[in-house]
Amino acid sequence: MNRIFSGVQPTGDLHLGNYLGAIRNFVGLQADFECIYCVVDMHAITVWQDPKQLAPHTREVAAAFLASGIDPANSIIFNQSQVTAHAELAWVFNCVARMGWLNRMTQFKEKAGNHRENASVGLYVYPNLMAADILAYKATHVPVGEDQKQHLELTRDIAIKFNNDFETDFFPVVEPLIFGEATRVMSLRDGSKKMSKSDPSEYSRINLTDGADDIAGKIRKAKTDPEELPGPDALAEDGIHVDDEAAKARPEAFNLLSIYAALSGQSIAVTLDQFAGAQFSAFKGQLADLSVEKLGPIGAEMQRLMADPGHVDGILHDGAERAAAIAEPVIRDVHEIVGFLR
Ligand code: TYM
């Protein structure tokens, strides 16, 4: 049976990258899969989180799931720390994964920067907890943005090594689902950097709770280049993707065009055709209108939901109970496979 699992960290300020790279894809998958969507609060505390903010930030992610169209009656929505299976399985995986594997993780290197000795141990073993999130439910498919690809390869390596070491075929080898026209949304201020909540400039990202004026203002100020917008001759030979060299030469232009394509639900090829030779000023006006039209209602619904914390908390409790019911037998089997006395 196919099962989807994915997670989003409650570190505040959900942005357009989270939406287009992940959350929007979560919504569509509900039609074909059993889906489990998790607010990963245990991952969040691998870097410092103000305890007063963690619960509101957790509700913010849950509200984004709901406002985007995830149906809690069918899909499971919960926060990670309410289901003990994640921590339990992560410990076993800490003993399966190798130091050499974790040393290769680019996200750790980026986040720890030059202060590796000062990074939390949790940040280092973060990918093992991620593998535990997914495999505690024996999920088979994981929708994420492109930046999580390496972590999912590690999840596959852990499943394969566990199965080999214990001579079993217990864990599935998961498939990443990275799709849509905006799998890597870049900063609006610098097309070579990923759109991220850790960027100090508010103008680098559109937050899901931004109002219409903020959205339009950020798009108006977005960095561009002096040329007219590119057309279909920027496509690669497949006629579907943008040519790598073309994208590298004009990162800001292609980032804005991909955002337009993703929000409008049309392909990048059609979008290039539509705006070929246009001036940025005219294009930005249309991108701002489209962004307000698509994101405005989601932001408003999030605000409404966040004003009723009891309702959101109830959904998370219910989801946690349903999640635990799936994970508990898996953990029992793992204990038996490993040889723990019960
Ligand atoms: P997080 O919270 O950083 O991001 C949540 C999701 O948003 C995607 N994303 C982006 N997509 C496109 N462009 C961007 N600029 C952008 N920024 C973020 C991420 O790829 C992600 O899909 N480690 C995960 C959380 C996690 C998880 C899991 C995911 C924990 N356990 C198990 C899948 C399965 C993370 O940090 O996401």
Side-chain angles (χ1 to χ4, degrees):
M1 196 208 25
N2 288 329
R3 184 179 279 150
I4 297 275
F5 183 96
S6 198
V8 175
Q9 295 191 74
T11 39
D13 283 348
L14 279 176
H15 54 72
L16 185 62
N18 299 129
Y19 179 65
L20 294 179
I23 299 172
R24 199 179 64 152
N25 292 345
F26 298 174
V27 179
L29 290 164
Q30 296 178 106
D32 300 314
F33 294 93
E34 178 189 2
C35 297
I36 305 176
Y37 296 125
C38 185
V39 188
V40 289
D41 47 8
M42 289 160 62
H43 276 104
I45 64 162
T46 57
V47 297
W48 173 252
Q49 301 298 324
D50 178 352
K52 291 194 198 66
Q53 291 302 319
L54 190 55
H57 286 161
T58 300
R59 292 188 192 106
E60 182 195 3
V61 177
F65 287 171
L66 296 166
S68 302
I70 294 171
D71 174 7
N74 291 319
S75 301
I76 295 178
I77 299 179
F78 74 108
N79 59 308
Q80 191 183 26
S81 60
Q82 291 206 62
V83 178
T84 55
H86 298 251
E88 291 176 70
L89 189 56
W91 180 258
V92 175
F93 288 168
N94 284 344
C95 304
V96 172
R98 307 286 95 181
M99 300 276 285
W101 300 358
L102 293 172
N103 286 339
R104 284 197 285 277
M105 294 295 114
T106 53
Q107 191 157 306
F108 176 76
K109 289 183 201 161
E110 278 163 26
K111 286 199 179 170
N114 296 328
H115 309 287
R116 200 185 146 97
E117 299 296 315
N118 255 334
S120 74
V121 177
L123 189 65
Y124 186 66
V125 294
Y126 178 115
N128 296 347
L129 178 58
M130 212 170 132
D133 296 341
I134 298 164
L135 295 175
Y137 304 92
K138 291 190 164 184
T140 53
H141 295 77
V142 184
V144 283
E146 216 171 270
D147 62 341
Q148 294 301 312
K149 201 170 164 191
Q150 193 186 34
H151 286 160
L152 293 186
E153 276 158 16
L154 191 97
T155 298
R156 292 165 63 96
D157 290 342
I158 288 176
I160 291 168
K161 184 161 167 35
F162 182 95
N163 289 347
N164 282 340
D165 286 354
F166 296 101
E167 296 177 352
T168 167
D169 58 359
F170 187 71
F171 283 123
V173 180
V174 297
E175 290 296 332
L177 297 176
I178 301 174
F179 62 97
E181 295 296 352
T183 53
R184 187 174 175 82
V185 178
M186 308 308 281
S187 155
L188 299 181
R189 304 301 301 161
D190 177 351
S192 68
K193 283 203 292 191
K194 194 177 69 169
M195 184 177 284
S196 144
K197 36 201 156 195
S198 55
D199 193 313
S201 167
E202 271 294 318
Y203 281 94
S204 69
R205 65 183 161 267
I206 294 174
N207 296 321
L208 289 186
T209 47
D210 278 348
D213 290 348
D214 281 330
I215 295 175
K218 288 177 180 181
I219 290 175
R220 209 178 322 112
K221 289 212 170 67
K223 187 174 170 205
T224 54
D225 60 44
E227 289 170 48
E228 293 165 346
L229 283 169
D233 49 358
L235 286 173
E237 265 175 29
D238 64 5
I240 299 172
H241 299 100
V242 174
D243 177 69
D244 280 350
E245 290 304 310
K248 255 188 235 145
R250 302 185 64 188
E252 284 84 15
F254 286 104
N255 185 40
L256 294 177
L257 283 160
S258 311
I259 292 172
Y260 189 97
L263 284 174
S264 65
Q266 67 190 24
S267 67
I268 188 74
V270 169
T271 309
L272 284 167
D273 215 28
Q274 184 179 346
F275 293 105
Q279 300 294 327
F280 271 106
S281 51
F283 167 67
K284 279 181 166 182
Q286 293 202 44
L287 178 59
D289 289 347
L290 178 66
S291 305
V292 171
E293 178 197 324
K294 298 288 180 185
L295 302 177
I298 295 174
E301 178 64 3
M302 282 175 68
Q303 303 284 11
R304 194 187 69 77
L305 286 161
M306 286 188 290
D308 188 358
H311 173 67
V312 175
D313 293 2
I315 289 173
L316 293 172
H317 281 135
D318 171 66
E321 276 176 14
R322 287 154 62 203
I326 300 173
E328 273 161 15
V330 176
I331 299 298
R332 267 203 302 278
D333 287 348
V334 168
H335 283 196
E336 195 169 312
I337 291 169
V338 170
F340 288 157
L341 184 90
R342 294 190 296 133

